[in-house]
Amino acid sequence: MLGRSLTSIFWGMISDRYGRKPVIIIGIIAVVILNTLFGLSTSFWMAVITRFLLGSLNGVLGPVKAYATELFREEHQAIGLSTVSAAWGIGLIIGPALGGYLAQPVEKYPKIFMKDSFFDKFPYFLPCFIISGLALTAAIICIWIPETLHNHSGRNESKDDAEALENGSNEDDKQRTVQKNENLFMNWPLMSSIIAYCIFALHDIAYQEVFSLWAVSPSKLGGLNFTTDDVGDVLSISGLALFIYQIAVYPFVEKVCGPIAIARIAGISSIPLLQSYPFIAMLSGITLYTIISIASMLKNVMAVTITTGLFLIQNRVVEQHQRGAANGISMTAMSFFKAIGPAAGGTILTWSQKRRDASFLPGSQMVFFFLNLVEGLGILLLFKPFLGEKKKTHSVQLH
């Protein structure tokens, strides 16, 4: 996340200049190489350096969001961005599930993986290798995807703008020139949606960290006493539900309610759901497994509903030639927040488990209360006067 925060704006500007496709392919190739090296890490610092380089060289997500927006007319952009959110959300769920199933294979599958073998020396290589294989397949497929950035000659555009201003252009021409050279940091609809996105990103990454640690914690600490395989099963179910929701349900709901209204509903609904988690831990057996699977599924659906709505806003309030840079700013800010999320979530969970006998929000109730405070702040930022609206102008999109 730190590496990504330092380079996301750079990769966004490169995608605005040279196209979305080359940046996407370079980023995926970086995953293939550096994710494999991460699985071969022999020290803590080798692991840290490979992850830092992966974040620095992988500028995929910003250009991908711009790409998905440009594939569709505005009324159908929810389909493109919900697909990106679905892919991202499923990756965040299936990734830990793969790790749970495939990490330390010598211990889990002794009949297949022998002791003192390569996989015994590098117990985390197998999941990294599988993911790198998927990334290599994606990189090859991307060779045939079309480029969506189609700019006219910059020289001709500058000449047209100069002539228009010199000869007394109409208001639309002037507006087009102003928009073309707009300072993105002065675009309040963009910046307000990025700030709200950062708060929800902090919440989501902290929640993912807390959920996995809480699920494997013993019952005496208020956890679920799950194995890593159990956690993998729950996350896999959530991933499947998320895929179905984003592809089949979200575009329809967004068209009816609008991206921000549905995000507000999802945010408000997630608060009582999250605060119920400590009470779900009191269940046992198949009842516990069923209820926590449903709760996890609903929580992830609500989270991706919010982020997809904010993606739509961010990509609709800027012109095409600045869309890569705008998504780069978004990724930079989000990465800073996501860098602190896991450590903060894990620390608060450890602290909350030490205060099981407290009179106010004992045990794990406290960590979920803190998560809800962050969620509540994010919800407030989805309302006026904070969240800005797109100006009604006759802007010209470049083709």
Side-chain angles (χ1 to χ4, degrees), residues 11-30:
W11 287 116
M13 293 170 69
I14 292 292
S15 78
D16 283 338
R17 180 77 180 269
Y18 299 105
R20 319 299 184 203
K21 183 175 170 179
V23 174
I24 291 171
I25 293 174
I26 290 169
I28 299 174
I29 291 171

Side-chain angles (χ1 to χ4, degrees), residues 66-235:
Y67 187 93
T69 304
E70 290 158 1
L71 282 176
F72 296 92
R73 293 194 303 272
E74 184 166 322
E75 63 267 28
H76 300 301
Q77 284 171 354
I79 297 172
L81 282 170
S82 66
T83 306
V84 173
S85 293
W88 180 253
I90 291 165
L92 288 176
I93 292 166
I94 300 298
L98 274 176
Y101 293 135
L102 300 178
Q104 300 172 311
V106 173
E107 294 178 20
K108 291 179 179 170
Y109 315 107
K111 293 181 180 178
I112 303 173
F113 300 95
M114 299 296 119
K115 195 161 181 62
D116 297 323
S117 65
F118 176 82
F119 291 102
D120 193 18
K121 185 179 180 183
F122 299 102
Y124 301 100
F125 177 73
L126 185 60
C128 292
F129 179 71
I130 297 295
I131 291 167
S132 294
L134 292 171
L136 180 60
T137 305
I140 293 169
I141 292 170
C142 283
I143 294 170
W144 288 280
I145 65 172
E147 177 59 70
T148 58
L149 184 70
H150 303 294
N151 284 337
H152 299 303
S153 162
R155 184 176 159 190
N156 291 340
E157 286 176 0
S158 301
K159 184 179 176 183
D160 291 344
D161 291 336
E163 287 177 356
L165 290 173
E166 191 176 322
N167 298 333
S169 65
N170 62 32
E171 196 63 32
D172 282 355
D173 288 333
K174 289 178 182 175
Q175 183 63 45
R176 184 168 73 97
T177 304
V178 169
Q179 285 185 337
K180 191 178 296 182
N181 300 309
E182 182 181 21
N183 183 342
L184 291 175
F185 292 100
M186 302 300 289
N187 182 334
W188 181 244
L190 172 67
M191 298 311 297
S192 61
S193 64
I194 288 175
I195 293 168
Y197 174 50
C198 287
I199 299 300
F200 284 111
L202 174 64
H203 169 87
D204 291 348
I205 196 82
Y207 165 78
Q208 287 153 11
E209 179 77 7
V210 165
F211 180 80
S212 295
L213 294 173
W214 171 70
V216 298
S217 297
S219 301
K220 65 180 182 180
L221 295 178
L224 303 182
N225 203 30
F226 276 12
T227 65
T228 53
D229 284 352
D230 292 332
V231 176
D233 291 339
V234 171
L235 294 176

